[in-house]
Amino acid sequence: MARAKMLLVEDDAALAELLIWHFKREDFEVAHTVDGEEALLMAQENVPDIVLLDWMVESLSGIEVCRRLRRMNGTANVPIIMLTARGEEEDRVRGLETGADDYVTKPFSPRELVARVGAVLRRVRPALAGETLTFADVEMDTVGHKVRRSGQVVPLGPTEFRLLKHFLEHPGWVFSRERLLDSVWGQDSDIELRTVDVHIRRLRKAINGDGKYQDIIRTVRSAGYALDTEGVG
């Protein structure tokens, strides 16, 4: 499994320690906080692949944290699993309506939670299920840093590789230039937006073989770019 980033928001120290141990054993990168406000800041600074969110945490309730994560551009599509002692149907429905992808009632088995996290990631972020990312006839070996299209090696520079990797992890998603700058170059980058266009052109030229293959990088007017099979030539 490719290394996935998890944000754990849990104020029960013993449970948090247990979960961190289990998920690190499964090769997750785990960031932990007991505070709802801090969780929002952490999610903005380093967008996680999945959030485990306790209903009752300090400063902000888990429900409010979930609601705000869904409203923030960078985290709107990050899967969220609520952890809570509340087992009533009304509470479960409230959590799901707020934007949670799944709901786990305490007490629970850590092994079961690991399995449920894996199931959510496979559904929402299938690219995190393995070290090879594929889309159409494009294949990326994330460990060996190699890209092939129709079996032919595609030479890419480091930035184009990261850009393609980001697209392969989110096939069909439309990303603005600002989102791509944050995700590929980093939030602290002072690179101009037009730099994204330059690297998109380089990626297109390489991955499409100068017109040999179908263009899979789609330009969405006034929105940004997406990886799909309806790209423009």
Side-chain angles (χ1 to χ4, degrees), residues 159-160 163 167 175-202 219 222-225:
T159 301
E160 285 72 42
L163 192 57
F167 280 129
F175 292 99
S176 67
R177 292 163 178 82
E178 291 86 355
R179 287 285 302 279
L180 289 172
L181 273 180
D182 285 348
S183 300
V184 179
W185 280 267
Q187 292 184 330
D188 295 330
S189 174
D190 57 0
I191 295 175
E192 296 181 1
L193 287 179
R194 60 185 178 185
T195 301
V196 176
D197 299 324
V198 172
H199 286 281
I200 287 288
R201 284 197 298 270
R202 291 179 182 173
T219 301
S222 301
Y225 299 99

PDB file of all heavy atoms in Angstrom, residues 159-160 163 167 175-202 219 222-225:
ATOM      1  N   THR A 159       9.114  17.615 -11.811  1.00  0.00           N
ATOM      2  CA  THR A 159       7.862  18.339 -11.603  1.00  0.00           C
ATOM      3  C   THR A 159       6.726  17.705 -12.392  1.00  0.00           C
ATOM      4  O   THR A 159       5.612  17.554 -11.881  1.00  0.00           O
ATOM      5  CB  THR A 159       8.018  19.816 -12.006  1.00  0.00           C
ATOM      6  OG1 THR A 159       9.055  20.408 -11.224  1.00  0.00           O
ATOM      7  CG2 THR A 159       6.719  20.579 -11.755  1.00  0.00           C
ATOM      8  N   GLU A 160       7.004  17.321 -13.643  1.00  0.00           N
ATOM      9  CA  GLU A 160       5.972  16.684 -14.453  1.00  0.00           C
ATOM     10  C   GLU A 160       5.570  15.339 -13.840  1.00  0.00           C
ATOM     11  O   GLU A 160       4.402  14.953 -13.897  1.00  0.00           O
ATOM     12  CB  GLU A 160       6.450  16.482 -15.891  1.00  0.00           C
ATOM     13  CG  GLU A 160       6.490  17.756 -16.730  1.00  0.00           C
ATOM     14  CD  GLU A 160       7.620  18.688 -16.315  1.00  0.00           C
ATOM     15  OE1 GLU A 160       8.743  18.182 -16.056  1.00  0.00           O
ATOM     16  OE2 GLU A 160       7.378  19.914 -16.229  1.00  0.00           O
ATOM     17  N   LEU A 163       3.290  16.106 -10.959  1.00  0.00           N
ATOM     18  CA  LEU A 163       2.027  16.594 -11.496  1.00  0.00           C
ATOM     19  C   LEU A 163       1.175  15.432 -12.002  1.00  0.00           C
ATOM     20  O   LEU A 163      -0.019  15.325 -11.688  1.00  0.00           O
ATOM     21  CB  LEU A 163       2.306  17.589 -12.620  1.00  0.00           C
ATOM     22  CG  LEU A 163       1.166  18.449 -13.156  1.00  0.00           C
ATOM     23  CD1 LEU A 163       0.535  19.270 -12.030  1.00  0.00           C
ATOM     24  CD2 LEU A 163       1.698  19.384 -14.239  1.00  0.00           C
ATOM     25  N   PHE A 167      -2.491  13.826 -10.627  1.00  0.00           N
ATOM     26  CA  PHE A 167      -3.654  13.563 -11.476  1.00  0.00           C
ATOM     27  C   PHE A 167      -4.068  12.095 -11.400  1.00  0.00           C
ATOM     28  O   PHE A 167      -5.263  11.769 -11.339  1.00  0.00           O
ATOM     29  CB  PHE A 167      -3.344  13.926 -12.931  1.00  0.00           C
ATOM     30  CG  PHE A 167      -3.447  15.392 -13.235  1.00  0.00           C
ATOM     31  CD1 PHE A 167      -2.399  16.054 -13.871  1.00  0.00           C
ATOM     32  CD2 PHE A 167      -4.573  16.123 -12.904  1.00  0.00           C
ATOM     33  CE1 PHE A 167      -2.486  17.404 -14.165  1.00  0.00           C
ATOM     34  CE2 PHE A 167      -4.673  17.477 -13.185  1.00  0.00           C
ATOM     35  CZ  PHE A 167      -3.621  18.125 -13.820  1.00  0.00           C
ATOM     36  N   PHE A 175      -8.859  20.313 -11.170  1.00  0.00           N
ATOM     37  CA  PHE A 175      -8.040  21.085 -10.233  1.00  0.00           C
ATOM     38  C   PHE A 175      -7.724  22.454 -10.817  1.00  0.00           C
ATOM     39  O   PHE A 175      -7.262  22.560 -11.956  1.00  0.00           O
ATOM     40  CB  PHE A 175      -6.727  20.362  -9.924  1.00  0.00           C
ATOM     41  CG  PHE A 175      -6.898  19.096  -9.137  1.00  0.00           C
ATOM     42  CD1 PHE A 175      -6.888  17.864  -9.769  1.00  0.00           C
ATOM     43  CD2 PHE A 175      -7.085  19.146  -7.764  1.00  0.00           C
ATOM     44  CE1 PHE A 175      -7.062  16.694  -9.045  1.00  0.00           C
ATOM     45  CE2 PHE A 175      -7.254  17.986  -7.030  1.00  0.00           C
ATOM     46  CZ  PHE A 175      -7.252  16.761  -7.669  1.00  0.00           C
ATOM     47  N   SER A 176      -7.950  23.490 -10.014  1.00  0.00           N
ATOM     48  CA  SER A 176      -7.569  24.830 -10.430  1.00  0.00           C
ATOM     49  C   SER A 176      -6.056  24.960 -10.384  1.00  0.00           C
ATOM     50  O   SER A 176      -5.363  24.134  -9.781  1.00  0.00           O
ATOM     51  CB  SER A 176      -8.201  25.871  -9.498  1.00  0.00           C
ATOM     52  OG  SER A 176      -7.638  25.771  -8.197  1.00  0.00           O
ATOM     53  N   ARG A 177      -5.531  26.000 -10.988  1.00  0.00           N
ATOM     54  CA  ARG A 177      -4.088  26.245 -10.951  1.00  0.00           C
ATOM     55  C   ARG A 177      -3.622  26.453  -9.505  1.00  0.00           C
ATOM     56  O   ARG A 177      -2.546  25.999  -9.123  1.00  0.00           O
ATOM     57  CB  ARG A 177      -3.736  27.447 -11.816  1.00  0.00           C
ATOM     58  CG  ARG A 177      -3.941  27.198 -13.311  1.00  0.00           C
ATOM     59  CD  ARG A 177      -3.984  28.506 -14.102  1.00  0.00           C
ATOM     60  NE  ARG A 177      -4.123  28.262 -15.528  1.00  0.00           N
ATOM     61  CZ  ARG A 177      -5.292  28.005 -16.119  1.00  0.00           C
ATOM     62  NH1 ARG A 177      -6.403  27.946 -15.390  1.00  0.00           N
ATOM     63  NH2 ARG A 177      -5.349  27.811 -17.420  1.00  0.00           N
ATOM     64  N   GLU A 178      -4.457  27.143  -8.718  1.00  0.00           N
ATOM     65  CA  GLU A 178      -4.095  27.380  -7.318  1.00  0.00           C
ATOM     66  C   GLU A 178      -4.006  26.063  -6.547  1.00  0.00           C
ATOM     67  O   GLU A 178      -3.077  25.858  -5.761  1.00  0.00           O
ATOM     68  CB  GLU A 178      -5.142  28.296  -6.650  1.00  0.00           C
ATOM     69  CG  GLU A 178      -5.144  29.724  -7.154  1.00  0.00           C
ATOM     70  CD  GLU A 178      -6.001  29.909  -8.395  1.00  0.00           C
ATOM     71  OE1 GLU A 178      -6.522  28.895  -8.925  1.00  0.00           O
ATOM     72  OE2 GLU A 178      -6.142  31.055  -8.837  1.00  0.00           O
ATOM     73  N   ARG A 179      -4.968  25.158  -6.771  1.00  0.00           N
ATOM     74  CA  ARG A 179      -4.946  23.864  -6.082  1.00  0.00           C
ATOM     75  C   ARG A 179      -3.730  23.053  -6.494  1.00  0.00           C
ATOM     76  O   ARG A 179      -3.107  22.378  -5.669  1.00  0.00           O
ATOM     77  CB  ARG A 179      -6.229  23.081  -6.404  1.00  0.00           C
ATOM     78  CG  ARG A 179      -7.482  23.579  -5.732  1.00  0.00           C
ATOM     79  CD  ARG A 179      -7.544  23.216  -4.268  1.00  0.00           C
ATOM     80  NE  ARG A 179      -7.464  21.770  -4.067  1.00  0.00           N
ATOM     81  CZ  ARG A 179      -8.484  20.934  -4.205  1.00  0.00           C
ATOM     82  NH1 ARG A 179      -9.675  21.402  -4.564  1.00  0.00           N
ATOM     83  NH2 ARG A 179      -8.322  19.644  -3.979  1.00  0.00           N
ATOM     84  N   LEU A 180      -3.392  23.112  -7.775  1.00  0.00           N
ATOM     85  CA  LEU A 180      -2.224  22.368  -8.248  1.00  0.00           C
ATOM     86  C   LEU A 180      -0.944  22.935  -7.649  1.00  0.00           C
ATOM     87  O   LEU A 180      -0.043  22.182  -7.277  1.00  0.00           O
ATOM     88  CB  LEU A 180      -2.161  22.387  -9.773  1.00  0.00           C
ATOM     89  CG  LEU A 180      -3.220  21.541 -10.484  1.00  0.00           C
ATOM     90  CD1 LEU A 180      -3.184  21.786 -11.988  1.00  0.00           C
ATOM     91  CD2 LEU A 180      -3.016  20.051 -10.183  1.00  0.00           C
ATOM     92  N   LEU A 181      -0.859  24.246  -7.536  1.00  0.00           N
ATOM     93  CA  LEU A 181       0.316  24.854  -6.903  1.00  0.00           C
ATOM     94  C   LEU A 181       0.460  24.365  -5.462  1.00  0.00           C
ATOM     95  O   LEU A 181       1.552  23.997  -5.025  1.00  0.00           O
ATOM     96  CB  LEU A 181       0.207  26.385  -6.922  1.00  0.00           C
ATOM     97  CG  LEU A 181       0.726  27.107  -8.158  1.00  0.00           C
ATOM     98  CD1 LEU A 181       0.534  28.610  -7.998  1.00  0.00           C
ATOM     99  CD2 LEU A 181       2.194  26.799  -8.401  1.00  0.00           C
ATOM    100  N   ASP A 182      -0.654  24.366  -4.721  1.00  0.00           N
ATOM    101  CA  ASP A 182      -0.611  23.923  -3.329  1.00  0.00           C
ATOM    102  C   ASP A 182      -0.230  22.450  -3.214  1.00  0.00           C
ATOM    103  O   ASP A 182       0.572  22.063  -2.361  1.00  0.00           O
ATOM    104  CB  ASP A 182      -1.985  24.127  -2.664  1.00  0.00           C
ATOM    105  CG  ASP A 182      -2.254  25.588  -2.350  1.00  0.00           C
ATOM    106  OD1 ASP A 182      -1.308  26.394  -2.430  1.00  0.00           O
ATOM    107  OD2 ASP A 182      -3.402  25.922  -2.035  1.00  0.00           O
ATOM    108  N   SER A 183      -0.805  21.615  -4.090  1.00  0.00           N
ATOM    109  CA  SER A 183      -0.624  20.168  -3.968  1.00  0.00           C
ATOM    110  C   SER A 183       0.703  19.670  -4.526  1.00  0.00           C
ATOM    111  O   SER A 183       1.302  18.744  -3.981  1.00  0.00           O
ATOM    112  CB  SER A 183      -1.773  19.441  -4.681  1.00  0.00           C
ATOM    113  OG  SER A 183      -3.017  19.786  -4.123  1.00  0.00           O
ATOM    114  N   VAL A 184       1.159  20.268  -5.621  1.00  0.00           N
ATOM    115  CA  VAL A 184       2.356  19.776  -6.310  1.00  0.00           C
ATOM    116  C   VAL A 184       3.604  20.549  -5.919  1.00  0.00           C
ATOM    117  O   VAL A 184       4.668  19.973  -5.711  1.00  0.00           O
ATOM    118  CB  VAL A 184       2.150  19.807  -7.838  1.00  0.00           C
ATOM    119  CG1 VAL A 184       3.401  19.328  -8.562  1.00  0.00           C
ATOM    120  CG2 VAL A 184       0.953  18.941  -8.230  1.00  0.00           C
ATOM    121  N   TRP A 185       3.474  21.854  -5.797  1.00  0.00           N
ATOM    122  CA  TRP A 185       4.639  22.680  -5.461  1.00  0.00           C
ATOM    123  C   TRP A 185       4.718  22.982  -3.963  1.00  0.00           C
ATOM    124  O   TRP A 185       5.775  23.285  -3.454  1.00  0.00           O
ATOM    125  CB  TRP A 185       4.602  23.997  -6.237  1.00  0.00           C
ATOM    126  CG  TRP A 185       5.082  23.892  -7.647  1.00  0.00           C
ATOM    127  CD1 TRP A 185       6.347  24.118  -8.122  1.00  0.00           C
ATOM    128  CD2 TRP A 185       4.306  23.507  -8.797  1.00  0.00           C
ATOM    129  NE1 TRP A 185       6.395  23.910  -9.479  1.00  0.00           N
ATOM    130  CE2 TRP A 185       5.164  23.537  -9.934  1.00  0.00           C
ATOM    131  CE3 TRP A 185       2.974  23.150  -8.992  1.00  0.00           C
ATOM    132  CZ2 TRP A 185       4.729  23.227 -11.210  1.00  0.00           C
ATOM    133  CZ3 TRP A 185       2.539  22.837 -10.262  1.00  0.00           C
ATOM    134  CH2 TRP A 185       3.411  22.867 -11.356  1.00  0.00           C
ATOM    135  N   GLY A 186       3.593  22.957  -3.266  1.00  0.00           N
ATOM    136  CA  GLY A 186       3.577  23.251  -1.835  1.00  0.00           C
ATOM    137  C   GLY A 186       2.983  24.610  -1.565  1.00  0.00           C
ATOM    138  O   GLY A 186       3.104  25.544  -2.368  1.00  0.00           O
ATOM    139  N   GLN A 187       2.324  24.738  -0.409  1.00  0.00           N
ATOM    140  CA  GLN A 187       1.614  25.972  -0.077  1.00  0.00           C
ATOM    141  C   GLN A 187       2.544  27.157   0.136  1.00  0.00           C
ATOM    142  O   GLN A 187       2.116  28.298   0.038  1.00  0.00           O
ATOM    143  CB  GLN A 187       0.754  25.756   1.169  1.00  0.00           C
ATOM    144  CG  GLN A 187      -0.407  24.792   0.925  1.00  0.00           C
ATOM    145  CD  GLN A 187      -1.295  24.661   2.141  1.00  0.00           C
ATOM    146  OE1 GLN A 187      -0.837  24.802   3.272  1.00  0.00           O
ATOM    147  NE2 GLN A 187      -2.559  24.374   1.925  1.00  0.00           N
ATOM    148  N   ASP A 188       3.795  26.899   0.447  1.00  0.00           N
ATOM    149  CA  ASP A 188       4.733  27.998   0.688  1.00  0.00           C
ATOM    150  C   ASP A 188       5.389  28.499  -0.594  1.00  0.00           C
ATOM    151  O   ASP A 188       6.209  29.409  -0.573  1.00  0.00           O
ATOM    152  CB  ASP A 188       5.829  27.556   1.672  1.00  0.00           C
ATOM    153  CG  ASP A 188       5.262  27.245   3.040  1.00  0.00           C
ATOM    154  OD1 ASP A 188       4.252  27.873   3.403  1.00  0.00           O
ATOM    155  OD2 ASP A 188       5.826  26.384   3.736  1.00  0.00           O
ATOM    156  N   SER A 189       5.031  27.882  -1.709  1.00  0.00           N
ATOM    157  CA  SER A 189       5.674  28.244  -2.964  1.00  0.00           C
ATOM    158  C   SER A 189       5.225  29.620  -3.433  1.00  0.00           C
ATOM    159  O   SER A 189       4.071  30.010  -3.282  1.00  0.00           O
ATOM    160  CB  SER A 189       5.325  27.198  -4.036  1.00  0.00           C
ATOM    161  OG  SER A 189       5.816  27.599  -5.287  1.00  0.00           O
ATOM    162  N   ASP A 190       6.182  30.395  -3.992  1.00  0.00           N
ATOM    163  CA  ASP A 190       5.840  31.709  -4.527  1.00  0.00           C
ATOM    164  C   ASP A 190       5.854  31.684  -6.059  1.00  0.00           C
ATOM    165  O   ASP A 190       6.002  32.710  -6.719  1.00  0.00           O
ATOM    166  CB  ASP A 190       6.802  32.776  -4.002  1.00  0.00           C
ATOM    167  CG  ASP A 190       8.266  32.449  -4.323  1.00  0.00           C
ATOM    168  OD1 ASP A 190       8.519  31.394  -4.948  1.00  0.00           O
ATOM    169  OD2 ASP A 190       9.133  33.258  -3.950  1.00  0.00           O
ATOM    170  N   ILE A 191       5.706  30.486  -6.637  1.00  0.00           N
ATOM    171  CA  ILE A 191       5.690  30.325  -8.094  1.00  0.00           C
ATOM    172  C   ILE A 191       4.416  30.944  -8.672  1.00  0.00           C
ATOM    173  O   ILE A 191       3.336  30.839  -8.081  1.00  0.00           O
ATOM    174  CB  ILE A 191       5.775  28.825  -8.467  1.00  0.00           C
ATOM    175  CG1 ILE A 191       7.121  28.257  -8.017  1.00  0.00           C
ATOM    176  CG2 ILE A 191       5.604  28.613  -9.958  1.00  0.00           C
ATOM    177  CD1 ILE A 191       7.256  26.765  -8.237  1.00  0.00           C
ATOM    178  N   GLU A 192       4.526  31.561  -9.823  1.00  0.00           N
ATOM    179  CA  GLU A 192       3.373  32.189 -10.461  1.00  0.00           C
ATOM    180  C   GLU A 192       2.450  31.135 -11.057  1.00  0.00           C
ATOM    181  O   GLU A 192       2.874  30.036 -11.436  1.00  0.00           O
ATOM    182  CB  GLU A 192       3.840  33.143 -11.566  1.00  0.00           C
ATOM    183  CG  GLU A 192       4.664  34.310 -11.048  1.00  0.00           C
ATOM    184  CD  GLU A 192       5.079  35.249 -12.174  1.00  0.00           C
ATOM    185  OE1 GLU A 192       4.693  34.980 -13.328  1.00  0.00           O
ATOM    186  OE2 GLU A 192       5.769  36.228 -11.888  1.00  0.00           O
ATOM    187  N   LEU A 193       1.183  31.501 -11.165  1.00  0.00           N
ATOM    188  CA  LEU A 193       0.177  30.573 -11.681  1.00  0.00           C
ATOM    189  C   LEU A 193       0.490  30.105 -13.099  1.00  0.00           C
ATOM    190  O   LEU A 193       0.234  28.952 -13.454  1.00  0.00           O
ATOM    191  CB  LEU A 193      -1.210  31.224 -11.651  1.00  0.00           C
ATOM    192  CG  LEU A 193      -1.873  31.384 -10.278  1.00  0.00           C
ATOM    193  CD1 LEU A 193      -3.226  32.063 -10.427  1.00  0.00           C
ATOM    194  CD2 LEU A 193      -2.023  30.042  -9.589  1.00  0.00           C
ATOM    195  N   ARG A 194       1.045  30.986 -13.908  1.00  0.00           N
ATOM    196  CA  ARG A 194       1.296  30.610 -15.302  1.00  0.00           C
ATOM    197  C   ARG A 194       2.356  29.504 -15.398  1.00  0.00           C
ATOM    198  O   ARG A 194       2.456  28.824 -16.426  1.00  0.00           O
ATOM    199  CB  ARG A 194       1.728  31.824 -16.119  1.00  0.00           C
ATOM    200  CG  ARG A 194       2.992  32.513 -15.636  1.00  0.00           C
ATOM    201  CD  ARG A 194       3.263  33.757 -16.431  1.00  0.00           C
ATOM    202  NE  ARG A 194       4.452  34.462 -15.958  1.00  0.00           N
ATOM    203  CZ  ARG A 194       4.849  35.633 -16.442  1.00  0.00           C
ATOM    204  NH1 ARG A 194       4.166  36.198 -17.422  1.00  0.00           N
ATOM    205  NH2 ARG A 194       5.925  36.223 -15.972  1.00  0.00           N
ATOM    206  N   THR A 195       3.143  29.335 -14.328  1.00  0.00           N
ATOM    207  CA  THR A 195       4.117  28.243 -14.318  1.00  0.00           C
ATOM    208  C   THR A 195       3.404  26.896 -14.414  1.00  0.00           C
ATOM    209  O   THR A 195       3.917  25.943 -15.017  1.00  0.00           O
ATOM    210  CB  THR A 195       4.963  28.289 -13.028  1.00  0.00           C
ATOM    211  OG1 THR A 195       5.640  29.547 -12.966  1.00  0.00           O
ATOM    212  CG2 THR A 195       5.985  27.164 -12.996  1.00  0.00           C
ATOM    213  N   VAL A 196       2.212  26.801 -13.806  1.00  0.00           N
ATOM    214  CA  VAL A 196       1.431  25.569 -13.895  1.00  0.00           C
ATOM    215  C   VAL A 196       1.128  25.249 -15.347  1.00  0.00           C
ATOM    216  O   VAL A 196       1.263  24.105 -15.798  1.00  0.00           O
ATOM    217  CB  VAL A 196       0.117  25.692 -13.088  1.00  0.00           C
ATOM    218  CG1 VAL A 196      -0.747  24.443 -13.275  1.00  0.00           C
ATOM    219  CG2 VAL A 196       0.419  25.917 -11.613  1.00  0.00           C
ATOM    220  N   ASP A 197       0.738  26.263 -16.112  1.00  0.00           N
ATOM    221  CA  ASP A 197       0.419  26.056 -17.536  1.00  0.00           C
ATOM    222  C   ASP A 197       1.633  25.544 -18.311  1.00  0.00           C
ATOM    223  O   ASP A 197       1.510  24.684 -19.184  1.00  0.00           O
ATOM    224  CB  ASP A 197      -0.082  27.360 -18.161  1.00  0.00           C
ATOM    225  CG  ASP A 197      -1.357  27.863 -17.502  1.00  0.00           C
ATOM    226  OD1 ASP A 197      -2.188  27.021 -17.119  1.00  0.00           O
ATOM    227  OD2 ASP A 197      -1.508  29.082 -17.361  1.00  0.00           O
ATOM    228  N   VAL A 198       2.808  26.079 -17.977  1.00  0.00           N
ATOM    229  CA  VAL A 198       4.030  25.655 -18.662  1.00  0.00           C
ATOM    230  C   VAL A 198       4.278  24.169 -18.418  1.00  0.00           C
ATOM    231  O   VAL A 198       4.555  23.409 -19.350  1.00  0.00           O
ATOM    232  CB  VAL A 198       5.243  26.482 -18.172  1.00  0.00           C
ATOM    233  CG1 VAL A 198       6.540  25.902 -18.742  1.00  0.00           C
ATOM    234  CG2 VAL A 198       5.089  27.936 -18.586  1.00  0.00           C
ATOM    235  N   HIS A 199       4.156  23.734 -17.168  1.00  0.00           N
ATOM    236  CA  HIS A 199       4.415  22.330 -16.846  1.00  0.00           C
ATOM    237  C   HIS A 199       3.309  21.416 -17.370  1.00  0.00           C
ATOM    238  O   HIS A 199       3.581  20.262 -17.713  1.00  0.00           O
ATOM    239  CB  HIS A 199       4.596  22.155 -15.336  1.00  0.00           C
ATOM    240  CG  HIS A 199       5.909  22.678 -14.841  1.00  0.00           C
ATOM    241  ND1 HIS A 199       7.087  21.971 -14.986  1.00  0.00           N
ATOM    242  CD2 HIS A 199       6.243  23.843 -14.235  1.00  0.00           C
ATOM    243  CE1 HIS A 199       8.089  22.668 -14.464  1.00  0.00           C
ATOM    244  NE2 HIS A 199       7.596  23.813 -14.008  1.00  0.00           N
ATOM    245  N   ILE A 200       2.088  21.924 -17.445  1.00  0.00           N
ATOM    246  CA  ILE A 200       1.006  21.139 -18.049  1.00  0.00           C
ATOM    247  C   ILE A 200       1.321  20.881 -19.523  1.00  0.00           C
ATOM    248  O   ILE A 200       1.143  19.770 -20.033  1.00  0.00           O
ATOM    249  CB  ILE A 200      -0.346  21.857 -17.917  1.00  0.00           C
ATOM    250  CG1 ILE A 200      -0.850  21.802 -16.470  1.00  0.00           C
ATOM    251  CG2 ILE A 200      -1.379  21.242 -18.853  1.00  0.00           C
ATOM    252  CD1 ILE A 200      -1.339  20.450 -16.010  1.00  0.00           C
ATOM    253  N   ARG A 201       1.813  21.911 -20.218  1.00  0.00           N
ATOM    254  CA  ARG A 201       2.176  21.751 -21.638  1.00  0.00           C
ATOM    255  C   ARG A 201       3.296  20.719 -21.794  1.00  0.00           C
ATOM    256  O   ARG A 201       3.252  19.877 -22.700  1.00  0.00           O
ATOM    257  CB  ARG A 201       2.597  23.098 -22.238  1.00  0.00           C
ATOM    258  CG  ARG A 201       1.440  24.029 -22.533  1.00  0.00           C
ATOM    259  CD  ARG A 201       1.834  25.144 -23.479  1.00  0.00           C
ATOM    260  NE  ARG A 201       2.877  26.001 -22.931  1.00  0.00           N
ATOM    261  CZ  ARG A 201       2.643  27.087 -22.196  1.00  0.00           C
ATOM    262  NH1 ARG A 201       1.389  27.436 -21.903  1.00  0.00           N
ATOM    263  NH2 ARG A 201       3.639  27.829 -21.761  1.00  0.00           N
ATOM    264  N   ARG A 202       4.294  20.780 -20.909  1.00  0.00           N
ATOM    265  CA  ARG A 202       5.391  19.812 -20.974  1.00  0.00           C
ATOM    266  C   ARG A 202       4.887  18.393 -20.701  1.00  0.00           C
ATOM    267  O   ARG A 202       5.287  17.430 -21.377  1.00  0.00           O
ATOM    268  CB  ARG A 202       6.465  20.179 -19.951  1.00  0.00           C
ATOM    269  CG  ARG A 202       7.237  21.445 -20.277  1.00  0.00           C
ATOM    270  CD  ARG A 202       8.251  21.734 -19.182  1.00  0.00           C
ATOM    271  NE  ARG A 202       8.982  22.970 -19.435  1.00  0.00           N
ATOM    272  CZ  ARG A 202       9.830  23.517 -18.579  1.00  0.00           C
ATOM    273  NH1 ARG A 202      10.055  22.928 -17.411  1.00  0.00           N
ATOM    274  NH2 ARG A 202      10.459  24.643 -18.873  1.00  0.00           N
ATOM    275  N   THR A 219      -8.400  20.409 -20.445  1.00  0.00           N
ATOM    276  CA  THR A 219      -8.477  21.784 -19.969  1.00  0.00           C
ATOM    277  C   THR A 219      -9.941  22.143 -19.764  1.00  0.00           C
ATOM    278  O   THR A 219     -10.752  22.021 -20.687  1.00  0.00           O
ATOM    279  CB  THR A 219      -7.852  22.762 -20.973  1.00  0.00           C
ATOM    280  OG1 THR A 219      -6.473  22.419 -21.184  1.00  0.00           O
ATOM    281  CG2 THR A 219      -7.945  24.196 -20.466  1.00  0.00           C
ATOM    282  N   SER A 222     -11.997  28.175 -17.377  1.00  0.00           N
ATOM    283  CA  SER A 222     -12.288  28.936 -16.157  1.00  0.00           C
ATOM    284  C   SER A 222     -12.258  28.074 -14.895  1.00  0.00           C
ATOM    285  O   SER A 222     -12.674  28.523 -13.830  1.00  0.00           O
ATOM    286  CB  SER A 222     -13.650  29.635 -16.254  1.00  0.00           C
ATOM    287  OG  SER A 222     -13.684  30.513 -17.360  1.00  0.00           O
ATOM    288  N   ALA A 223     -11.773  26.831 -15.011  1.00  0.00           N
ATOM    289  CA  ALA A 223     -11.741  25.952 -13.833  1.00  0.00           C
ATOM    290  C   ALA A 223     -10.358  25.368 -13.593  1.00  0.00           C
ATOM    291  O   ALA A 223      -9.857  25.376 -12.473  1.00  0.00           O
ATOM    292  CB  ALA A 223     -12.769  24.834 -13.977  1.00  0.00           C
ATOM    293  N   GLY A 224      -9.715  24.832 -14.637  1.00  0.00           N
ATOM    294  CA  GLY A 224      -8.400  24.237 -14.443  1.00  0.00           C
ATOM    295  C   GLY A 224      -8.164  23.045 -15.333  1.00  0.00           C
ATOM    296  O   GLY A 224      -8.508  23.072 -16.524  1.00  0.00           O
ATOM    297  N   TYR A 225      -7.636  21.969 -14.759  1.00  0.00           N
ATOM    298  CA  TYR A 225      -7.251  20.792 -15.542  1.00  0.00           C
ATOM    299  C   TYR A 225      -7.744  19.515 -14.862  1.00  0.00           C
ATOM    300  O   TYR A 225      -7.901  19.466 -13.642  1.00  0.00           O
ATOM    301  CB  TYR A 225      -5.729  20.723 -15.686  1.00  0.00           C
ATOM    302  CG  TYR A 225      -5.115  21.905 -16.387  1.00  0.00           C
ATOM    303  CD1 TYR A 225      -4.522  22.936 -15.650  1.00  0.00           C
ATOM    304  CD2 TYR A 225      -5.119  21.993 -17.775  1.00  0.00           C
ATOM    305  CE1 TYR A 225      -3.940  24.023 -16.296  1.00  0.00           C
ATOM    306  CE2 TYR A 225      -4.540  23.087 -18.412  1.00  0.00           C
ATOM    307  CZ  TYR A 225      -3.959  24.082 -17.676  1.00  0.00           C
ATOM    308  OH  TYR A 225      -3.397  25.164 -18.307  1.00  0.00           O
TER     309      TYR A 225
END
